[in-house]
Amino acid sequence: MVTSDFISAFLIGIAGSVHCIAMCGGVTAGLSLAIPKGKQQLPFIFAYNLGRITSYSIAGGLAGALSSILSHQLQDGIAWLNLLSGLFLLLMAAYIGNWWPILSQLERIGGVLWRRISPLSKRFMPFKHPLYALPYGLIWGWLPCGLVYSSLTWSLASGNATNGALSMFFFGLGTLPSMILAAYSATQVTHLLKKPRTKQLIALILALFGILNISQSLANIL
């Protein structure tokens, strides 16, 4: 995986921030309730997001390790996995644009695991120190999310665990600005991201990413 792929993962994180606001905006805004009064919020917010992005990176590393196995088992394995990632980006675009919310089915499947691990996060609240927000974020990083699942297919096409982890790390960095704004209850920005026109525009951007990935993959296969 080359640097341009990491940049693409970062841009997908930025573009998908509209979904992050919808899925996790309430969680990050609620962080202020768990932060001791009189304490600076920023260290807690960064610790939470560091934990969240670390979970993404772990998942990406696992997907990358799987891709290393699959790529050796299949002819043109990486190209086929890239094709899969392009298809998932199209599904994500359809989900955000409310054209075809099929990825909600994947979120329901992920919810089975989530219901088992989410109660663990309550052990770290209220936060006595920013370090308490770190494991809290680690747990919330496994929240069922179609955007994360779609991005994991990029890690699946990365070829190895390191590139898979880096891909999800850069994706997580792309989601960071919107999550920090949500934590500070930046209502004007979050309201803009939730507007139907904004969602349609972001959906089109993700669809273009998907189409480009599919065309490149087909060119390598055919």
Side-chain angles (χ1 to χ4, degrees), residues 25-183:
V27 177
T28 52
L31 285 174
S32 59
L33 300 176
I35 297 173
K37 292 183 178 180
K39 295 286 187 178
Q40 290 289 332
Q41 291 190 29
L42 195 58
F44 292 89
I45 293 169
F46 268 115
Y48 163 78
N49 281 287
L50 176 61
R52 180 177 62 86
I53 294 172
T54 298
S55 289
Y56 294 167
S57 301
I58 292 171
L62 293 173
L66 179 60
S67 83
S68 178
I69 297 172
L70 292 176
S71 63
H72 287 89
Q73 300 295 323
L74 298 172
Q75 185 177 1
D76 298 318
I78 293 297
W80 283 107
L81 292 172
N82 270 316
L83 178 62
L84 177 66
S85 70
L87 291 172
F88 261 84
L89 280 177
L90 287 180
L91 292 177
M92 190 64 223
Y95 186 25
I96 289 179
N98 201 27
W99 307 330
W100 188 30
I102 190 173
L103 284 184
S104 60
Q105 301 299 323
L106 273 179
E107 291 179 350
R108 290 191 184 97
I109 295 172
V112 175
L113 173 64
W114 175 242
R115 284 191 292 271
R116 292 181 178 274
I117 65 174
S118 59
L120 297 175
S121 64
K122 296 178 181 179
R123 298 182 180 182
F124 304 99
M125 298 180 70
F127 302 140
K128 299 176 183 179
H129 187 274
L131 288 179
Y132 279 71
L134 181 63
Y136 183 83
L138 277 168
I139 294 169
W140 277 91
W142 298 97
L143 176 72
C145 174
L147 176 63
V148 174
Y149 296 158
S150 297
S151 300
L152 275 173
T153 59
W154 280 63
S155 296
L156 194 59
S158 65
N160 60 65
T162 300
N163 285 340
L166 285 172
S167 176
M168 288 304 293
F169 173 75
F170 280 98
F171 161 77
L173 285 183
T175 67
L176 186 59
S178 67
M179 298 301 286
I180 291 176
L181 289 172

Side-chain angles (χ1 to χ4, degrees), residues 5 8 12 79 81-89 153-154 157 207-220:
D5 294 314
S8 296
I12 289 170
L81 292 172
N82 270 316
L83 178 62
L84 177 66
S85 70
L87 291 172
F88 261 84
L89 280 177
T153 59
W154 280 63
L208 288 174
F209 267 109
I211 292 170
L212 178 62
N213 217 38
I214 289 171
S215 62
Q216 290 176 341
S217 301
L218 290 175
N220 290 327

